[in-house]
C-alpha cells in the first residue's frame, strides 16, 4: 500500500481527524519551543550587544495563562480520544454479530447462519457489524487499516469491536502481531457489499450439507455433551424433581445479572458463558452446588461459540 488510504467508515474518519488534531497541536508546541530557542540563540549571541545585566522579572499571570491554555487543549484531546475509544467498543444493540477465531496462521470466520470463511470476511454496508473474537493458540492482532481498527485477539478471552462500512469494496485484513513463522501469511480480505448482495452471498456462502445454523449446531452439542441432563431441555433449569440435580436456568440468561457464591455480581455475556463452560470453578453460582464439570480441552473454540449461540437463542420459558 502506498500513500494515504481513505477511511471506509465514519468512525475511521473521526480517528483520522483526532490524529490530525494531535499532530497539529504537537507541531504547534514544537514550533513554539524551537522558535523560542532560535530567538534566544539569535538575540543573545556573543556579539549582539544586548544588555544582560537586568534580572528577569517573573509574572504569575503569564505562567498561569500558558499552563492553563496548554492543559485545556490537551484535556480536550484526551476527552475526545476517550469518548471515541468507548464508542468504538460499545456496539449498537442491533449490530450483526460475526465470530472470528485466530489460529496459526489463519482467520476463521463464522456467521450466525453457519456460513464459514477462511481469511475472508463478507459484510453488508450501512449496517453495524460486531466481531466477537478469540484465539486458539497465541496472541494475534486483527487489523483492517481502511477501517482504522486494530485489536489484540487473545487465547482464553473474548474480545469485541464493531464498525459500519459506508463504501462497497474489498479491503485488506492483517494480523499485525508477530505470531510465529507463518505470521506473514495471516492476511485476507474484507468484502463489503450491499444488503441484497450480502443476502445472496449468505444463501450461497457454503455448499449444501456444509452449512448449519450456529444455534442449531449448538443445540446438538448441548444434547451430545449432556448439558440438558442438568439444565433441562431448552435450558429451562434443573431441579432434583425433574433432572435429579439443581442447576440454573439458561433460557433468557444473556445480559442478566448473576450473583456468584463469592457475593460478587456479574453480567452474563459471551465471556461469562465461556468461563462457565471451561473454568466453572471460577464462576460458582449462588444458590447452586458447584458440580458443573469443566469442558476445557474437550470442546474446540468453534464449538464453544456454537454453544454460546444456542444459549443466546434461548428465551425465558423456551423449550426449544
Amino acid at each position: 500500500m502506498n500513500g494515504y488510504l481513505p477511511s471506509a467508515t465514519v468512525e475511521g474518519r473521526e480517528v483520522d481527524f483526532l490524529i490530525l488534531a494531535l499532530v497539529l497541536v504537537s507541531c504547534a508546541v514544537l514550533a513554539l519551543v524551537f522558535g523560542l530557542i532560535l530567538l534566544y540563540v539569535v538575540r543573545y549571541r556573543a556579539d549582539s550587544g544586548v544588555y544582560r545585566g537586568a534580572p528577569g522579572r517573573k509574572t504569575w499571570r503569564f505562567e498561569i495563562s500558558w499552563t492553563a491554555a496548554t492543559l485545556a487543549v490537551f484535556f480536550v484531546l484526551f476527552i475526545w480520544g476517550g469518548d471515541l475509544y468507548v464508542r468504538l467498543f460499545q456496539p449498537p444493540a442491533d449490530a450483526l454479530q460475526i465470530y472470528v477465531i485466530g489460529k496459526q496462521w489463519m482467520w476463521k470466520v463464522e456467521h450466525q447462519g453457519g456460513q464459514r470463511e477462511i481469511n475472508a470476511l463478507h459484510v453488508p454496508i450501512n449496517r453495524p457489524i460486531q466481531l466477537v473474537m478469540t484465539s486458539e493458540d497465541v496472541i494475534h492482532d486483527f487489523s483492517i487499516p481502511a477501517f482504522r481498527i486494530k485489536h489484540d485477539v487473545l487465547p482464553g478471552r473474548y474480545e469485541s469491536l464493531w464498525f459500519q462500512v459506508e463504501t462497497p469494496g474489498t479491503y485488506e485484513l492483517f494480523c499485525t502481531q508477530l505470531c510465529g513463522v507463518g505470521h506473514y501469511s495471516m492476511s485476507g480480505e474484507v468484502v463489503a457489499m450491499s444488503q441484497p448482495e450480502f443476502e445472496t452471498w449468505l444463501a450461497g456462502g457454503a455448499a449444501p450439507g456444509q452449512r448449519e445454523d450456529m444455534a442449531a449446531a449448538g443445540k446438538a452439542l448441548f444434547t451430545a455433551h449432556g448439558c440438558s441432563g442438568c439444565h433441562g431441555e431448552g435450558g429451562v433449569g434443573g431441579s432434583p424433581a425433574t433432572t435429579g440435580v439443581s442447576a440454573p436456568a439458561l433460557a433468557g440468561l444473556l445480559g442478566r445479572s448473576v450473583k456468584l457464591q463469592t457475593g460478587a455480581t456479574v453480567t452474563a455475556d459471551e465471556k461469562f458463558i465461556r468461563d462457565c463452560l471451561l473454568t466453572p470453578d471460577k464462576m460458582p453460582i449462588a444458590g447452586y452446588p458447584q458440580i458443573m464439570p469443566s469442558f476445557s480441552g474437550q470442546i474446540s473454540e468453534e464449538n464453544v461459540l456454537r454453544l454460546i449461540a444456542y444459549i443466546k437463542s434461548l428465551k425465558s420459558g423456551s423449550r426449544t
Side-chain angles (χ1 to χ4, degrees):
M1 285 182 293
N2 297 317
Y4 173 73
L5 179 65
S7 173
T9 65
V10 174
E11 296 76 19
R13 284 199 295 275
E14 188 171 351
V15 170
D16 287 349
F17 290 141
L18 176 59
I19 293 175
L20 178 61
L22 284 167
V23 170
L24 291 176
V25 170
S26 299
C27 287
V29 173
L30 200 64
L32 175 63
V33 172
F34 281 91
L36 289 174
I37 291 174
L38 184 61
L39 172 65
Y40 279 85
V41 165
V42 173
R43 180 176 175 82
Y44 295 101
R45 66 190 186 278
D47 59 347
S48 66
V50 176
Y51 177 66
R52 301 177 179 84
R57 290 182 303 169
K58 194 168 188 177
T59 164
W60 288 107
R61 291 181 180 177
F62 180 75
E63 293 282 345
I64 292 174
S65 297
W66 77 260
T67 302
T70 305
L71 176 64
V73 170
F74 281 100
F75 194 68
V76 167
L77 291 174
F78 171 78
I79 295 295
W80 184 6
D83 175 68
L84 178 58
Y85 179 87
V86 169
R87 286 187 280 118
L88 286 175
F89 289 95
Q90 288 185 340
D94 61 343
L96 174 64
Q97 279 195 343
I98 300 176
Y99 297 97
V100 178
I101 297 176
K103 179 182 179 181
Q104 293 175 315
W105 288 275
M106 67 179 70
W107 295 106
K108 297 192 291 186
V109 176
E110 186 160 0
H111 297 257
Q112 293 287 345
Q115 298 85 356
R116 303 177 199 173
E117 307 182 70
I118 299 293
N119 290 336
L121 172 61
H122 286 73
V123 297
I125 62 171
N126 299 322
R127 182 176 179 183
I129 307 297
Q130 181 188 3
L131 302 182
V132 178
M133 307 179 295
T134 190
S135 168
E136 282 192 2
D137 34 53
V138 299
I139 298 176
H140 299 285
D141 201 303
F142 187 89
S143 174
I144 308 174
F147 299 172
R148 307 301 190 260
I149 58 174
K150 176 180 178 294
H151 196 56
D152 283 346
V153 181
L154 308 175
R157 289 177 58 180
Y158 284 147
E159 303 295 333
S160 177
L161 57 80
W162 76 278
F163 56 85
Q164 181 170 314
V165 191
E166 289 189 310
T167 309
T170 301
Y171 306 95
E172 292 181 284
L173 161 65
F174 298 97
C175 174
T176 53
Q177 174 72 41
L178 182 60
C179 56
V181 295
H183 164 70
Y184 70 93
S185 65
M186 198 168 173
S187 60
E189 61 182 22
V190 179
V191 181
M193 55 185 70
S194 66
Q195 185 65 38
E197 290 175 324
F198 180 67
E199 296 292 342
T200 301
W201 179 86
L202 286 178
Q210 293 183 341
R211 181 174 70 237
E212 184 179 11
D213 180 88
M214 286 191 70
K219 181 180 180 181
L221 290 166
F222 188 82
T223 302
H225 287 282
C227 305
S228 57
C230 293
H231 295 280
E233 292 295 333
V236 293
S239 66
T242 57
T243 64
V245 296
S246 179
L250 302 179
L253 174 65
L254 193 74
R256 218 166 57 197
S257 293
V258 178
K259 188 173 183 179
L260 305 181
Q261 292 180 11
T262 60
T265 300
V266 297
T267 300
D269 54 10
E270 289 90 351
K271 181 183 182 303
F272 171 80
I273 298 173
R274 182 187 187 280
D275 289 343
C276 287
L277 287 169
L278 304 184
T279 55
D281 57 312
K282 294 181 180 180
M283 294 289 176
I285 309 301
Y288 296 94
Q290 181 49 44
I291 58 175
M292 172 77 178
S294 170
F295 288 94
S296 179
Q298 302 178 48
I299 305 179
S300 68
E301 287 291 351
E302 291 167 286
N303 283 338
V304 169
L305 288 172
R306 294 183 182 112
L307 277 168
I308 291 174
Y310 173 61
I311 294 171
K312 288 169 63 176
S313 73
L314 298 175
K315 307 300 179 185
S316 297
S318 170
R319 290 184 177 272
T320 57

